[in-house]
Amino acid sequence: MRSSLSAFASLAILLSGKTAATAIYAPPASTTNAAGCSGALTKFQFFGVNESGAEFGSQNIPGVLGKDYTWPSPSSIDYFVGKGFNTFRVTFLMERLNPPSSGLTGPFDATYLSGLTTATHNYMRYNGAIISSNSDFSTFWTNLANQFKSNSHVIFDLQNEPNGIDATVVAASMQAAVNAIRAAGATSQLILVEGTCE
């Protein structure tokens, strides 16, 4: 087993969105389980775990790697791969990827981007305010999709737990992001869309 963050490239990875584990239904593998019970058995295509850290220390932007935030360690990834996991949700802060000085549509911070292999943890907010511009949100996702559009191991997960926002507003923002990702050329990856917690 390779012990490096480049090992992410050989695994399914979640890009932005948040659930503690991710599993997607696959077609039935058999009609009888090991206990002899009838009924369709299923095998999950994706079985995953959260690897938090890069969203920590949000009061310190941009923050210092190893002090305010961290990326998953290779030994942690290797441990879960050894347990059969194949999907890792790696959270990140939009403000670290797009510093407020350049705005949501500005260039990415190259250092932070180099550590990212996946998930925004912003609750549909940027720099302390609800993201209200679908144009800016689309530009962010266009820019990010351009970074990962040729990586078949990336799953785009649009936003962690939007809350306190009308469902129609969240739906319009999510659709704008889906359209932007597809228009950027990321046409084969899954896109996970979050609902709202009002």
Side-chain angles (χ1 to χ4, degrees), residues 133-153:
S133 169
N134 287 346
S135 175
D136 288 356
F137 196 54
S138 294
T139 299
F140 171 83
W141 280 105
T142 296
N143 294 341
L144 196 57
N146 278 320
Q147 298 293 318
F148 295 99
K149 66 185 174 186
S150 59
N151 187 334
S152 64
H153 298 288

Side-chain angles (χ1 to χ4, degrees), residues 23-178:
I24 297 178
Y25 174 81
S30 169
T31 58
T32 306
N33 66 26
C37 298
S38 63
L41 295 179
T42 61
K43 181 177 181 178
F44 292 116
Q45 180 180 358
F46 302 111
F47 190 66
V49 64
N50 275 341
E51 288 284 343
S52 294
E55 80 284 14
F56 293 168
S58 61
Q59 70 281 6
N60 296 320
I61 302 296
V64 176
L65 178 62
K67 178 181 177 191
D68 299 309
Y69 69 95
T70 188
W71 295 106
S73 70
S75 62
S76 176
I77 299 300
D78 289 346
Y79 171 82
F80 286 110
V81 167
K83 298 292 184 186
F85 289 80
N86 66 1
T87 306
F88 299 87
R89 180 183 155 263
V90 179
T91 56
F92 66 94
L93 285 180
M94 296 169 82
E95 293 84 356
R96 286 207 174 105
L97 189 57
N98 285 99
S101 60
S102 62
L104 186 59
T105 62
F108 291 145
D109 177 278
T111 302
Y112 195 71
L113 179 63
S114 70
L116 173 67
T117 327
T118 77
T120 66
H121 202 271
N122 285 68
Y123 309 100
M124 202 64 195
R125 285 159 174 75
Y126 177 78
N127 202 24
I130 291 172
I131 298 170
S132 59
S133 169
N134 287 346
S135 175
D136 288 356
F137 196 54
S138 294
T139 299
F140 171 83
W141 280 105
T142 296
N143 294 341
L144 196 57
N146 278 320
Q147 298 293 318
F148 295 99
K149 66 185 174 186
S150 59
N151 187 334
S152 64
H153 298 288
V154 169
I155 299 171
F156 296 98
D157 188 1
L158 299 182
Q159 195 60 232
N160 181 55
E161 303 169 11
N163 63 79
I165 309 166
D166 185 78
T168 59
V169 172
V170 172
S173 295
M174 296 299 168
Q175 187 62 58
V178 168

